[in-house]
């Protein structure tokens, strides 16, 4: 059956290879929005204080498991926050014991709670070499933070200044370029045939920078990396729907309360966990590539991480528009759910 004629699609249960769950009351509120549809997720470590050691990752995982909704079948995959004082032996043991799946690199100052990130990459060389030896992926927030670099150019500059030299020095290191936003990044991944992949978010497949800025500033579309020109969004869509094993879903779903978003210096982050699968089905349907959705959401990520796809499935059914709440309630305050700006016709039966 041609993709455009499909009204029902059953796929392996998807995974989210980049997710913010926060902690405390926020964790309690947002976790069910992910466990409803997803089997696993790479959990970001940029708490305050950050999750730096294996022991801290184990403690954070225990808090996530304690917040798990009744009946949920979900596995959090923990990451360690890379700092210039990270101990290679601790990283090795955290990976050996199954506590940590990956290490996260934040250039210092690049995004929310990234002040403890890396400034001098030579100081983490021993950690990266250890990770290459044991096959542990490095998840990269790929932006430079120099004040003289335009915010819309920071990803492309990062590739040239940081990522290319780093990968030459440690060629066996597996690297995931997270939440890519540019054609430059897509082309770089496509031109690399070993140890490099990229995640793409739900919102970067849908919005461009006009959505943030045209007709007034829209704080709920503000994220880091910031959305770019329409030509870049189109390149991301083409990568996602291609079936290329090097591209897979990482929502970067990042909840902030509305008071934290709606202020003179508002927080960066878009909360997409509740409606991601309906949004993605709409994007792939419009492109006539629904049969490629499973690869992007459920197969390519496990393949790169060396894991088996989830054994169970979800079914998406096309029909009348499905509604999602405009906000979810947390004890810390309301969190606005991403609004794609168009009707969502795909219902998810998990």
């Amino acid at each position: 059956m041609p993709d455009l004629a499909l009204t029902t699609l059953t796929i392996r249960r998807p995974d989210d290879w980049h997710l913010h769950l926060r902690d405390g009351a926020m964790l309690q509120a947002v976790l069910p929005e992910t466990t409803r549809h997803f089997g696993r997720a790479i959990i970001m470590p940029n708490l305050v204080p950050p999750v730096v050691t294996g022991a801290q990752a184990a403690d954070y995982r225990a808090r996530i498991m304690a917040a798990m909704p009744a009946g949920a079948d979900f596995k959090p995959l923990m990451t360690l926050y890379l700092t210039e004082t990270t101990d290679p032996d601790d990283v090795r043991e955290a990976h050996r014991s199954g506590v940590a799946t990956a290490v996260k690199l934040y250039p210092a100052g690049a995004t929310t709670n990234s002040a403890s990130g890396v400034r001098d990459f030579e100081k983490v060389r021993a950690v990266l070499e250890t990770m290459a030896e044991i096959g542990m992926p490095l998840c990269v927030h790929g932006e430079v933070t120099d004040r003289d670099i335009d915010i819309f150019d920071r990803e492309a500059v990062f590739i040239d200044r940081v990522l290319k030299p780093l990968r030459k020095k440690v060629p066996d290191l597996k690297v995931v370029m997270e939440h890519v936003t540019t054609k430059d990044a897509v082309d770089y991944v496509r031109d690399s045939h070993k140890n490099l992949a990229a995640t793409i978010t739900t919102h970067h497949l849908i919005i461009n920078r006009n959505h943030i800025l045209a007709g007034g500033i829209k704080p709920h579309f503000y994220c880091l990396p910031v959305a770019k020109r329409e030509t870049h969004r189109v390149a991301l869509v083409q990568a996602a729907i291609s079936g290329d094993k090097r591209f897979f879903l990482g929502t970067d779903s990042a909840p902030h309360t509305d008071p934290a978003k709606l202020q003179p210096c508002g927080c960066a982050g878009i909360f997409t966990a509740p409606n991601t699968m309906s949004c993605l089905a709409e994007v792939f349907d419009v492109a006539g590539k629904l049969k490629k959705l499973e690869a992007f959401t459920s197969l390519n990520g496990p393949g790169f991480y060396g894991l088996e796809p989830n054994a169970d499935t979800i079914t998406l059914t096309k029909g009348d528009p499905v509604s999602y709440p405009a906000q979810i309630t947390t004890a810390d305050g309301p969190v606005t759910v991403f609004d794609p700006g168009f009707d969502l016709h795909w219902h998810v039966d998990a």
Side-chain angles (χ1 to χ4, degrees):
M1 179 184 295
D3 286 16
L4 288 172
L6 289 173
T7 57
T8 300
L9 182 69
T10 297
I11 63 174
R12 297 285 191 109
R13 183 172 294 277
D15 298 308
D16 186 346
W17 298 97
H18 183 135
L19 177 67
H20 296 270
L21 288 176
R22 312 303 189 201
D23 212 345
M26 185 67 80
L27 167 63
Q28 295 278 346
V30 303
L31 180 59
E33 303 298 330
T34 287
T35 62
R36 188 173 296 119
H37 297 156
F38 294 89
R40 294 169 291 204
I42 286 281
I43 309 300
M44 292 295 102
N46 58 331
L47 304 182
V48 179
V51 178
V52 174
T53 67
Q56 291 168 340
D59 288 344
Y60 186 26
R61 183 175 63 182
R63 297 196 298 276
I64 295 170
M65 297 306 295
M68 198 73 66
D73 184 13
F74 174 78
K75 183 176 182 179
L77 304 175
M78 310 309 294
T79 59
L80 303 180
Y81 188 120
L82 182 63
T83 74
E84 293 176 3
T85 59
T86 294
D87 181 356
D89 291 335
D90 183 67
V91 170
R92 183 189 297 272
E93 176 56 25
H95 187 256
R96 185 205 64 79
S97 65
V99 168
T101 299
V103 170
K104 179 60 184 273
L105 166 63
Y106 291 103
T111 189
T112 303
N113 300 335
S114 62
S116 301
V118 176
R119 298 182 188 277
D120 183 350
F121 285 87
E122 279 304 307
K123 292 183 178 179
V124 297
R125 178 80 170 269
V127 176
L128 301 181
E129 290 176 345
T130 296
M131 293 170 59
E133 176 191 339
I134 63 180
M136 188 179 194
L138 178 71
C139 299
V140 174
H141 182 111
E143 291 186 290
V144 297
T145 57
D146 312 48
R147 289 183 178 273
D148 61 328
I149 303 300
D150 189 287
I151 192 170
F152 293 104
D153 297 330
R154 289 179 177 181
E155 183 172 278
V157 173
F158 181 89
I159 292 171
D160 289 333
R161 286 191 184 177
V162 178
L163 195 53
K164 288 180 179 179
L166 185 153
R167 294 183 66 232
K168 285 182 180 179
K169 292 176 181 177
V170 194
D172 293 329
L173 178 66
K174 296 180 71 173
V175 176
V176 181
M177 289 187 68
E178 296 194 307
H179 46 48
V180 294
T181 60
T182 60
K183 184 177 184 297
D184 308 73
V186 168
D187 290 344
Y188 179 57
V189 172
R190 281 182 168 151
D191 290 342
S192 302
H193 301 290
K194 180 182 178 184
N195 293 333
L196 182 65
T199 60
I200 303 175
T201 76
T202 309
H203 51 277
H204 285 123
L205 292 172
I206 294 171
I207 66 170
N208 60 38
R209 65 188 189 181
N210 277 2
H211 290 87
I212 309 170
L213 299 171
I217 294 174
K218 313 298 193 306
H220 292 300
F221 288 152
Y222 173 57
C223 57
L224 288 173
V226 69
K228 307 299 193 298
R229 290 180 181 273
E230 175 66 4
T231 52
H232 295 295
R233 187 197 69 83
V234 170
L236 298 178
V237 171
Q238 292 303 313
I241 66 175
S242 68
D244 189 321
K245 294 181 179 180
R246 293 166 293 187
F247 298 100
F248 42 89
L249 175 65
T251 66
D252 193 17
S253 181
H256 293 286
T257 63
D258 285 358
K261 292 285 289 181
L262 306 177
Q263 60 175 318
C265 187
C267 292
I270 299 177
F271 181 53
T272 58
N275 59 358
T276 272
M277 291 309 299
S278 292
C279 287
L280 292 178
E282 204 76 33
V283 170
F284 278 66
D285 189 11
V286 168
K289 295 290 185 178
L290 269 172
K291 292 178 182 178
K292 299 291 188 180
L293 181 62
E294 183 178 48
F296 181 67
T297 63
S298 313
L299 303 179
N300 295 349
F304 187 81
Y305 275 87
L307 302 172
E308 291 296 320
N310 294 310
D312 57 334
T313 62
I314 65 170
T315 296
L316 298 103
T317 305
K318 189 176 185 179
D320 294 333
V322 57
S323 62
Y324 289 90
Q327 298 174 326
I328 68 164
T329 300
T330 83
D332 293 333
V335 175
T336 290
V337 176
F338 174 62
D339 178 2
F342 47 75
D343 285 340
L344 301 174
H345 299 90
W346 287 88
H347 300 244
V348 186
D349 300 317

